[in-house]
Amino acid sequence: MHMSTDDHASQFYDAGEGLPDDLPESPFPIFKAWFDHAWAQMATPNPNAMTLATTHADGMPDARIVLCKDMDIDPGCILFYTNEHGSKGQQLQRVSFASAVFHWDHDQRQVRIRGPV
């Protein structure tokens, strides 16, 4: 499934170098650079792990760890796989919006994304 976002739906936390003074129009180039850095370091077994939050039928949030399989910074989307018959797939069919958080503790960075799936 693809999860895409608009420019205003991504937020960053960086205790390291900080964000540039002039943020780009799209946050995805910064996200991609941080992701690539985490991947190159391999300080954690799965630097592509993200917490994916969906909405249960009763309106309560559900969150679990999934792996980001790819991203395309031009339209601003990430790719992850799911079983459409499982709870996550069923929830995304009912409510086609989700949020994801990438957290790289060793770099003291995180990226939060939300948008349509």
Side-chain angles (χ1 to χ4, degrees):
M1 297 191 144
H2 284 276
M3 181 173 166
S4 60
T5 182
D6 59 33
D7 295 339
H8 305 290
S10 296
Q11 294 185 353
F12 296 90
Y13 168 77
D14 178 20
E17 301 171 14
L19 293 170
D21 289 334
D22 295 322
L23 290 174
E25 186 174 319
S26 169
F28 267 78
I30 295 172
F31 169 43
K32 176 78 166 123
W34 288 5
F35 183 92
D36 290 347
H37 175 76
W39 191 262
Q41 281 191 315
M42 290 301 286
T44 61
N46 294 298
N48 60 331
M50 62 182 192
T51 301
L52 178 72
T54 57
T55 305
H56 191 270
D58 63 8
M60 296 294 290
D62 267 351
R64 80 282 286 152
I65 303 297
V66 299
L67 299 178
C68 174
K69 296 299 185 180
D70 198 7
M71 75 175 66
D72 190 344
I73 64 171
D74 188 29
C77 65
I78 56 176
L79 176 68
F80 61 93
Y81 297 112
T82 188
N83 177 349
E84 66 183 32
H85 302 293
S87 62
K88 177 175 45 219
Q90 295 293 314
Q91 290 168 2
L92 290 170
Q93 287 178 11
R94 270 193 304 277
V95 179
S96 61
F97 290 90
S99 64
V101 177
F102 289 82
H103 179 246
W104 301 290
D105 190 47
H106 58 281
D107 287 330
Q108 297 183 7
R109 290 177 170 163
Q110 72 177 16
V111 175
R112 184 175 64 113
I113 301 170
R114 62 184 180 155
V117 176

